[in-house]
Amino acid sequence: MRTFHCFISTVFMSLLLGACGGGGGSGGAEWAAVAALWAAQGLYTAPAPAPRPEPGTAPEPAPVPAPAVPNEPAMLTSVDGEAVGANCGYGGKKVMTGRDSNANGVLDAEEISSTSYICNCASDGWVDATGTTVQAQSNMCYIARDDAAQVVLTLPANPDVGALVRVKGGGAGGWKIAQNPGQAVYADKLGGMAGAVWTARDSDRRWASVASSADGSKLVASAWGGRIYTSTDSGATWIPRATDRGWYGVASSADGSKLVALDRFNPIQTSNDGGVSWSAHGPIGDWASVASSADGRSLLAVEFTGRIHVSTDGGENWTRCTGPNAPCDRDRYWSSVASSADGSRMVAVEWGGQIYTSADSGVSWTAHESTQDWYSVASSADGMKLMAGVYGGQIYTSVDGGANWTARESSRPWQETAASSSDGSRLVTAVAGGQIYTSDDGGVSWTARETDRAWSSVASSADGSKMVGVVDGGWIYTSVATTTPGVDGSVSGTAADGIELQYVGGGMFNVLSHQGSPAHR
């Protein structure tokens, strides 16, 4: 089966950072509100201002401001009281942020893009943790006050769903939150990578392909001989769309609103409303693979035995690659395609042929590497970091847009599916009838995940914190970044770091908010 490759620029990434700083970031209106609340509770100390220059000395030159993004709505933050309930067992604050899309100066309900909570402690204040080992209790807040050694706080063994644990640094020794057997912490807000733990979703179908929005919340999957399915909750639930057809590859824009799906031996189908409605466009073909730019305007599709096709208007019209030069000179056995976030750089791989790249949105192409059974390909957002897999061969990576390639991993029957994070550091692919493999170092090393299955397609969020894989004759599987399950996993921080966890059931804790850059393992 075929795959989708989702990529997004760093500009889009900056808009998708989560409520708790997106892995440690501390900029923006939302962080300012959170920092103020934490400061009021003694959890955050603002850095001292830069010293003023001595009289008579020249001041430092003012930094040149970054160019403004034209017509970008302002980011607004709203803080409300949160009553005692599931989100905060002892009440607290609800922090909501979003873009002021209607420019009325008010954060309306439909404009809220993220919500976080700053919850009250069970006690009136913070409990000093001065020993090196502490058994944490539900709904308690701890200050790790040991200058000589790290304070290790073990999570409650049997917490109720909704129970909180908050920890902040207070001593030079720092702190660590230890886990009990069967426990783990969702680490997507801590910059973690998905792939360690997978959860079966939906039903047993002949899943052909899957695609993801940049934040991993909106997914689309196609079933061969069945329907298209969409999800808006990272794969927890799915809604059937379209009608029964020979659906194959799918692709998505960064926000998940613009979708494209391949209907074999029929025109290509597109949706501009997240999969609710579909319309047919372009020529009839034996379609193999499709990729999309971040805005959904630039599309790239190939046929199993045929040509490269490019659209620059979201699939309304398509241009067939023809001409005297390879690869447009004849029909070829295409396997997979990928695109940069802006659609300017494209890559296509040929079974029994070479890798072809384009730096001008598919107008011209350049051949690379030797003739092999190339089967999968993925790209970073800028199109410079590429990964390609050979069926029965190795994985190859490039850091210069495809000009040079390095062989990686062992020879395996790599499936015709792969996906990349926006920076190209986090990769995911699969072996035909085997396991999923992930890499967190740009493809230098790989780790086998999950069990042997007939994986047909994989996809990833832009930061690699959420992944999804589908099985031909099986289920959909989703993965979210977590700490290592059990006693080997932990979250730790320094005197400048803090974190708030909430138990959500099944041994799992969510990160509600954090200050600084807590580490996890």
Side-chain angles (χ1 to χ4, degrees):
M1 296 296 177
R2 300 295 162 174
T3 185
F4 155 73
H5 314 281
C6 173
F7 319 102
I8 182 168
S9 68
T10 54
V11 173
F12 277 97
M13 281 293 291
S14 68
L15 303 181
L16 294 166
L17 294 177
C20 300
S26 57
E30 180 177 295
W31 167 243
V34 173
L37 290 168
W38 283 55
Q41 301 175 38
L43 181 55
Y44 173 67
T45 301
R52 296 175 63 87
E54 293 295 328
T57 62
E60 291 288 334
V64 178
V69 179
N71 302 320
E72 183 178 48
M75 177 67 80
L76 299 181
T77 299
S78 176
V79 180
D80 290 341
E82 180 68 15
V84 173
N87 295 317
C88 287
Y90 292 86
K93 300 292 184 181
K94 180 179 181 181
V95 183
M96 299 160 286
T97 63
R99 294 283 173 183
D100 187 16
S101 57
N102 60 9
N104 68 349
V106 177
L107 183 62
D108 299 316
E110 62 273 13
E111 295 172 336
I112 297 173
S113 59
S114 65
T115 302
S116 61
Y117 299 89
I118 308 298
C119 298
N120 297 331
C121 305
S123 58
D124 294 331
W126 293 78
V127 176
D128 285 348
T130 56
T132 56
T133 58
V134 176
Q135 176 58 60
Q137 303 298 318
S138 295
N139 302 309
M140 296 295 290
C141 302
Y142 298 90
I143 303 176
R145 294 192 186 277
D146 195 316
D147 289 330
Q150 184 182 61
V151 178
V152 179
L153 302 99
T154 302
L155 290 170
N158 298 294
D160 294 330
V161 172
L164 303 174
V165 174
R166 188 188 292 177
V167 178
K168 68 177 180 179
W175 52 269
K176 181 173 81 170
I177 297 177
Q179 301 169 177
N180 295 292
Q183 292 182 337
V185 177
Y186 286 116
D188 51 317
K189 294 179 180 178
L190 302 178
M193 178 179 174
V197 179
W198 295 79
T199 303
R201 308 288 191 179
D202 200 71
S203 302
D204 187 339
R205 309 180 195 276
R206 290 210 61 189
W207 298 108
S209 184
V210 67
S212 172
S213 62
D215 65 1
S217 65
K218 296 180 180 179
L219 306 176
V220 57
S222 61
W224 173 251
R227 302 177 71 176
I228 288 175
Y229 295 77
T230 61
S231 172
T232 57
D233 54 12
S234 299
T237 58
W238 293 82
I239 300 173
R241 308 288 193 183
T243 58
D244 291 353
R245 289 180 174 273
W247 298 113
Y248 218 61
V250 292
S252 170
S253 62
D255 64 3
S257 65
K258 295 181 175 62
L259 306 176
V260 56
L262 301 179
D263 180 10
R264 289 191 64 187
F265 307 110
N266 286 291
I268 294 173
Q269 300 257 353
T270 60
S271 172
N272 292 319
D273 53 14
V276 177
S277 59
W278 294 83
S279 56
H281 303 280
I284 294 174
D286 184 11
W287 303 111
S289 181
V290 64
S292 171
S293 60
D295 64 4
R297 298 285 298 171
S298 178
L299 305 177
L300 169 65
V302 291
E303 302 173 74
F304 277 116
T305 305
R307 303 297 179 98
I308 295 173
H309 298 256
V310 173
S311 173
T312 58
D313 56 10
E316 290 284 339
N317 298 279
W318 293 83
T319 300
R320 182 172 181 262
C321 182
T322 59
N325 300 319
C328 302
D329 56 335
R330 60 180 174 83
D331 290 352
R332 297 177 183 270
Y333 299 107
W334 297 110
S335 298
S336 188
V337 294
S339 169
S340 62
D342 63 3
S344 64
R345 291 185 173 272
M346 297 177 170
V347 56
V349 296
E350 179 188 2
W351 177 279
Q354 293 178 275
I355 299 172
Y356 292 86
T357 62
S358 172
D360 53 13
S361 300
V363 176
S364 60
W365 296 83
T366 302
H368 303 282
E369 260 299 321
S370 59
T371 298
Q372 298 194 66
D373 290 333
W374 299 103
Y375 215 29
S376 64
V377 68
S379 170
S380 60
D382 63 4
M384 297 306 293
K385 294 181 179 179
L386 306 176
M387 184 224 98
V390 176
Y391 187 87
Q394 291 179 269
I395 288 173
Y396 290 74
T397 60
S398 172
V399 296
D400 55 10
N404 298 280
W405 294 81
T406 302
R408 311 288 191 182
E409 244 295 313
S410 303
S411 293
R412 307 179 193 275
W414 297 108
Q415 183 58 291
E416 50 191 323
T417 181
S420 170
S421 62
S422 61
D423 65 1
S425 65
R426 295 175 171 180
L427 305 171
V428 57
T429 187
V431 169
Q435 293 177 270
I436 285 177
Y437 283 74
T438 62
S439 172
D440 61 2
D441 56 11
V444 176
S445 59
W446 293 82
T447 302
R449 307 290 192 179
E450 245 291 314
T451 58
D452 291 352
R453 305 183 191 277
W455 300 104
S456 55
S457 182
V458 295
S460 170
S461 62
D463 62 1
S465 68
K466 295 179 181 179
M467 294 179 180
V468 57
V470 296
V471 177
D472 183 8
W475 295 60
I476 296 173
Y477 290 81
T478 60
S479 178
V480 179
T482 69
T483 57
T484 302
V487 296
D488 292 333
S490 64
V491 179
S492 59
T494 68
D497 300 325
I499 196 166
E500 183 177 31
L501 304 179
Q502 183 178 49
Y503 186 65
V504 294
M508 300 301 301
F509 288 81
N510 262 339
V511 176
L512 288 185
S513 57
H514 73 81
Q515 178 228 340
S517 302
H520 69 279
R521 57 166 299 193

